[in-house]
Amino acid sequence: MSHPKLCPSKKAGVPADNFKDSEMEETPEHDAAAAAAKNFNDLPQDILLHILSFLPTLDTIRTSLISTKWKPLWSLVPSLNFSYVHFPPYKSFSTTRQFFSEFIDRTLIMRPQLPLKKFRLEFIYEDRYGCHVDSWVRYAIKNDVLELDLDFFIDKSFHIGEPEARPNYDFPFSALRNGKVRVLKLCCCDLTLPVNMESMNLWTMKDVYFDQIYMTDDVVLDLFKACPNIEVLKFEDCYGMENLRLCSEKLKRLDLLYFYTTERELYLELDCPNLVWLNIDCVEVGQFCVKNLSSLVEFHTSIVHKLEHYGQWFKVVKQLHRIAHIKHLVVQNWWLKLAPKDVFPKDFLLYNLKHLELQTGYTQYDLLGLAALLEFCPNLETMILNPLYKIDDDESLSEELLNKPINLSMPSLKEVKLKAIPGENQNQFAQFLALLKKQGVVLEKIVLLIPLYDGFSSSPIVLRVSPPRADVNAEFSLHFEGNPDQ
């Protein structure tokens, strides 16, 4: 059985420049394609290298067959992308892994020792490849790689038939000591940390993304000791933490996604005065303590919309009074259940909030919750309403609330964007559009985003005020952005 070579045949790649199809009938379309290829070939080398840096390395190598000019280009590309997804599959996963590993080894041997901007590896790991992966990682670091991205999960479809207790790759953190890595992305591996992390002094490290990695509280503390200049931090599907205390003057963006703990809910404490972005998504928080988020601009939070999870959502959202200076809020519509006036201080208002993204339905329960939230947003300019996927039905309302008029306070609102779900609650959606018109505020436009059943999105439908005037009874005109035939 053969496997891919660094210089594949014409049958597997692009024809060489001296290859001519004498039997091909020359047509205007063929002439245009030939002219385009010639123009593409005339591009400066630095532009060609930039274009090639977006391709998997196997495809980059195949371009060496295009012409003499292209032959050495693959070895000069400042990025290496070893994609297991795009590698030709063989009869068994084991054989594919073996050939994929050999392909990487040969590529690194033949490539000159030039600085790397990015090294990305997608691979389904087995213990027998530990030495191979170690050598690949050290090759990247030795060549001053700026972004190191290792993904040992890829997708769940690659793990069908794999043993549940599959071993993880043990990432040699100490190997970073003499490198220049600025961005570190690790998925589905273990960390081996040196005893004295603080002595590593990884000053260049700016962005850290960990996915499906066992992280204890001490590991997080050691990480910041070794990398004092981290500005972007993302933990996704990580586990093992119980008391996560993040104290950093450098951190600017933080994403905490899909956390789960072994025994108890997470205690989360944030003291990051220069943080501008915070996203807490599906995190089981026992207690959330905000000490200093004085620079926060954008805050996202979400959790599975099931009544048993409301308490988790509540523990996060009730901290809004400590970050009332935010300008952009992304949140779910559980606001009627929250009873905001009983949770926040009497003078609580989100004065600086300009943009609101709300996951919501359009039932009476939802509209009352929306009205409660808007009371705290006097300067809101843009509101985006996305579908809320509910697992449980709305809680029952008293007759008084069922018949209560909806009053949406929107004195500064200019634009509303609504995303509809085809075939679901169309009457409620239409009623909400009518409600917006009755609120006594003239919006500049309402944008309707209606996905089609076949997976394609229709062009946005824009309702504009026509003619523009300060008349609360102004009529909306219909305008399609894009192709109106859609």
Side-chain angles (χ1 to χ4, degrees), residues 370-433:
L370 174 59
L373 173 57
L374 290 178
E375 289 182 7
F376 298 106
C377 313
N379 298 315
L380 192 66
E381 295 180 356
T382 303
M383 182 167 65
I384 301 174
L385 302 181
N386 292 318
L388 176 61
Y389 299 94
K390 300 179 181 180
I391 296 177
D392 294 334
D393 294 332
D394 293 338
E395 295 178 270
S396 59
L397 295 175
S398 65
E399 187 173 345
E400 178 184 358
L401 288 177
L402 282 172
N403 298 316
K404 184 177 179 179
I406 305 297
N407 182 24
L408 304 180
S409 177
M410 307 180 295
S412 302
L413 200 64
K414 298 178 181 178
E415 180 178 333
V416 176
K417 294 182 180 180
L418 304 101
K419 184 175 181 180
I421 303 178
E424 293 189 17
N425 300 325
Q426 296 302 301
N427 291 335
Q428 294 174 353
F429 191 75
Q431 290 169 4
F432 179 70
L433 289 176

Side-chain angles (χ1 to χ4, degrees), residues 18 44 84 111 274 291:
N18 61 351
Y84 188 78
R111 183 184 183 275
N274 292 304
K291 287 205 167 181

Side-chain angles (χ1 to χ4, degrees), residues 50 112 201 222 291 304 308 313 324 449 452 468:
H50 179 71
N201 294 326
D222 287 342
K291 287 205 167 181
V304 177
E308 65 184 66
W313 181 86
L449 302 173
L452 303 181

Side-chain angles (χ1 to χ4, degrees), residues 122-188:
E122 293 177 339
F123 190 45
I124 304 301
Y125 180 75
E126 288 181 348
D127 273 345
R128 63 190 175 118
Y129 294 110
C131 293
H132 290 268
V133 179
D134 283 344
S135 67
W136 304 337
V137 170
R138 295 183 189 280
Y139 174 92
I141 295 173
K142 182 180 178 181
N143 285 275
D144 297 332
V145 68
L146 300 180
E147 180 176 337
L148 182 60
D149 185 350
L150 308 179
D151 183 354
F152 297 103
F153 181 74
I154 306 177
D155 183 83
K156 63 181 179 181
S157 63
F158 287 91
H159 300 272
I160 298 175
E162 293 282 323
E164 293 185 6
R166 184 175 56 85
N168 287 341
Y169 172 65
D170 201 347
F171 179 76
F173 207 89
S174 58
L176 297 170
R177 188 186 301 273
N178 299 317
K180 297 182 179 180
V181 177
R182 293 175 57 87
V183 180
L184 178 63
K185 299 181 179 181
L186 301 178
C187 178
C188 206

Side-chain angles (χ1 to χ4, degrees), residues 218-464:
D218 289 338
V219 167
V220 177
L221 290 175
D222 287 342
L223 178 66
F224 275 89
K225 288 178 182 178
C227 313
N229 294 321
I230 293 178
E231 295 180 357
V232 178
L233 180 64
K234 181 176 181 179
F235 289 160
E236 181 173 357
D237 267 329
C238 292
Y239 55 101
M241 290 166 281
E242 294 185 351
N243 296 284
L244 182 57
R245 291 178 167 88
L246 296 178
C247 178
S248 170
E249 293 187 357
K250 300 290 186 177
L251 197 62
K252 295 180 180 179
R253 174 165 179 156
L254 175 63
D255 288 88
L256 303 176
L257 312 175
Y258 314 113
F259 267 44
Y260 59 97
T261 55
T262 53
E263 296 181 358
R264 61 190 181 90
E265 294 172 337
L266 179 73
Y267 172 82
L268 177 61
E269 181 179 301
L270 300 180
D271 186 1
C272 307
N274 292 304
L275 193 73
V276 296
W277 167 291
L278 174 60
N279 182 18
I280 300 176
D281 191 347
C282 292
V283 177
E284 296 182 357
V285 176
Q287 185 177 348
F288 179 26
C289 178
V290 173
K291 287 205 167 181
N292 187 352
L293 297 178
S294 55
S295 299
L296 195 65
V297 173
E298 189 162 341
F299 177 51
H300 296 231
T301 187
S302 181
I303 196 168
V304 177
H305 202 84
K306 188 175 177 63
L307 288 177
E308 65 184 66
H309 298 310
Y310 167 75
Q312 303 296 332
W313 181 86
F314 171 78
K315 292 170 185 176
V316 175
V317 169
K318 73 175 184 179
Q319 294 297 317
L320 275 175
H321 73 280
R322 298 186 181 276
I323 52 173
H325 50 275
I326 58 173
K327 298 180 180 180
H328 192 148
L329 174 64
V330 181
V331 70
Q332 288 167 278
N333 190 355
W334 240 327
W335 288 84
L336 182 60
K337 186 174 177 62
L338 180 70
K341 293 181 179 178
D342 298 330
V343 174
F344 300 121
K346 292 182 179 180
D347 59 348
F348 171 71
L349 286 175
L350 296 168
Y351 277 112
N352 295 332
L353 192 68
K354 303 291 185 181
H355 308 284
L356 170 66
E357 294 185 42
L358 187 68
Q359 296 178 38
T360 186
Y362 298 95
T363 64
Q364 179 76 358
Y365 186 92
D366 297 318
L367 295 178
L368 288 172
L370 174 59
L373 173 57
L374 290 178
E375 289 182 7
F376 298 106
C377 313
N379 298 315
L380 192 66
E381 295 180 356
T382 303
M383 182 167 65
I384 301 174
L385 302 181
N386 292 318
L388 176 61
Y389 299 94
K390 300 179 181 180
I391 296 177
D392 294 334
D393 294 332
D394 293 338
E395 295 178 270
S396 59
L397 295 175
S398 65
E399 187 173 345
E400 178 184 358
L401 288 177
L402 282 172
N403 298 316
K404 184 177 179 179
I406 305 297
N407 182 24
L408 304 180
S409 177
M410 307 180 295
S412 302
L413 200 64
K414 298 178 181 178
E415 180 178 333
V416 176
K417 294 182 180 180
L418 304 101
K419 184 175 181 180
I421 303 178
E424 293 189 17
N425 300 325
Q426 296 302 301
N427 291 335
Q428 294 174 353
F429 191 75
Q431 290 169 4
F432 179 70
L433 289 176
L435 176 62
L436 283 178
K437 183 179 175 182
K438 296 178 181 178
Q439 292 306 298
V441 176
V442 175
L443 302 172
E444 292 180 359
K445 63 180 177 179
I446 299 176
V447 180
L448 309 182
L449 302 173
I450 307 178
L452 303 181
Y453 286 104
D454 57 7
F456 295 95
S457 296
S458 64
S459 298
I461 301 172
V462 180
L463 302 174
R464 298 185 186 278

